[in-house]
Amino acid sequence: MELSVFKIDGQESGKKVMLDDSVFGIQPNDHAIYLDVKQYLANQRQGTHKTKERWEVSYSTKKMGRQKGGGGARHGSIKAPIYVGGGRTFGPKPRDYSFKLNKKLKQLARKSALSYKAKATAITMLEPFVWEAPRTKEFISMLKNLKLEDKKVLMVLPENNNIIYLSSRNLQRVKVITLSELNTYDILNAGNLVLVDGVQEVLTLQLGRA
């Protein structure tokens, strides 16, 4: 698949790049995508949820009433779950939700997501650029020039650039990440993928032979 490389002013730079079919043109595997996204979301969970059980509630331990003759059921403690403020039965406890997946399966999922974007012509190649200081207005102007101002954008940089990141941080529908942070969930969650020229070559090296 051949794509033109654009400048930040929206004009074509004259350079064209070929996206490797082994990464951007495979038959997508939906089940691999499902597992990878499931793992990503599970790994985001803190797992710190906790409720107090009967033995943890701070109340009197005095028996509620006599064992027999009260005309009702027997109750031994106000900490019982049937009372308001009592302990919770089988409540949530801190746990780790993360789980592992095979490396090749995760690579297949990422290639599948990239292939979906390529098939939908939702990939924009951008010429490397440099800004002297963080300016959100410049970032918005660049999106308008690329006709992406009304889309959810994921920009992938070859390496960390704090100026570009700070320029986009206040934009709700824009996310800027480095190549090492690229994952299946973010690819699918974006309406359009913006790759800075050079990223596609590294992706081919990382995923092409997987």
Side-chain angles (χ1 to χ4, degrees):
M1 181 179 181
E2 188 177 67
L3 291 178
S4 298
V5 179
F6 290 88
K7 299 179 180 179
I8 60 175
D9 60 2
Q11 302 296 319
E12 292 189 15
S13 66
K15 180 180 179 181
K16 295 184 181 294
V17 297
M18 288 293 298
L19 299 183
D20 197 316
D21 287 340
S22 65
V23 176
F24 296 89
I26 71 167
Q27 179 63 34
N29 188 311
D30 290 339
H31 188 63
I33 290 176
Y34 161 74
L35 291 175
D36 197 17
V37 170
K38 182 180 179 181
Q39 186 208 38
Y40 175 83
L41 295 176
N43 290 348
Q44 305 308 303
R45 301 186 66 174
Q46 289 184 329
T48 54
H49 40 38
K50 177 72 172 70
T51 58
K52 289 185 178 181
E53 297 185 3
R54 181 169 177 165
W55 63 276
E56 295 173 299
V57 177
S58 180
Y59 276 135
S60 171
T61 58
K62 183 180 179 180
K63 188 173 173 65
M64 299 288 293
R66 52 190 297 185
Q67 179 77 354
K68 294 185 177 181
R74 298 171 294 180
H75 295 294
S77 173
I78 197 173
K79 297 180 180 181
I82 64 172
Y83 290 110
V84 175
R88 181 171 176 180
T89 306
F90 305 123
K93 297 180 179 180
R95 55 167 291 191
D96 182 11
Y97 284 92
S98 64
F99 62 94
K100 292 185 178 180
L101 289 176
N102 291 335
K103 181 179 179 179
K104 287 189 176 181
L105 187 144
K106 291 176 68 66
Q107 291 175 334
L108 175 60
R110 204 175 314 163
K111 289 191 293 185
S112 298
L114 291 170
S115 296
Y116 268 128
K117 289 301 179 186
K119 186 177 180 180
T121 62
I123 298 179
T124 301
M125 297 302 304
L126 187 64
E127 188 179 58
F129 60 98
V130 177
W131 286 334
E132 295 182 357
R135 288 294 300 273
T136 303
K137 287 184 178 180
E138 290 187 11
F139 201 100
I140 294 175
S141 177
M142 178 183 66
L143 293 178
K144 289 182 179 179
N145 295 334
L146 297 173
K147 299 180 180 179
L148 299 175
E149 69 274 13
D150 58 343
K151 296 182 180 181
K152 185 181 286 189
V153 174
L154 175 67
M155 177 176 286
V156 185
L157 306 175
E159 57 186 14
N160 185 47
N161 188 313
N162 201 44
I163 292 178
I164 298 177
Y165 168 73
L166 292 176
S167 299
S168 66
R169 185 172 56 177
N170 290 335
L171 302 178
Q172 186 175 5
R173 295 169 61 84
V174 176
K175 185 173 184 179
V176 174
I177 62 175
T178 60
L179 182 58
S180 61
E181 299 171 316
L182 186 64
N183 61 81
T184 303
Y185 177 83
D186 282 337
I187 294 172
L188 295 176
N189 191 43
N192 196 281
L193 194 62
V194 177
L195 303 180
V196 175
D197 188 20
V199 167
Q200 78 282 358
E201 298 174 356
V202 180
L203 284 174
T204 300
L205 290 175
Q206 291 179 347
L207 306 175
R209 297 180 181 179

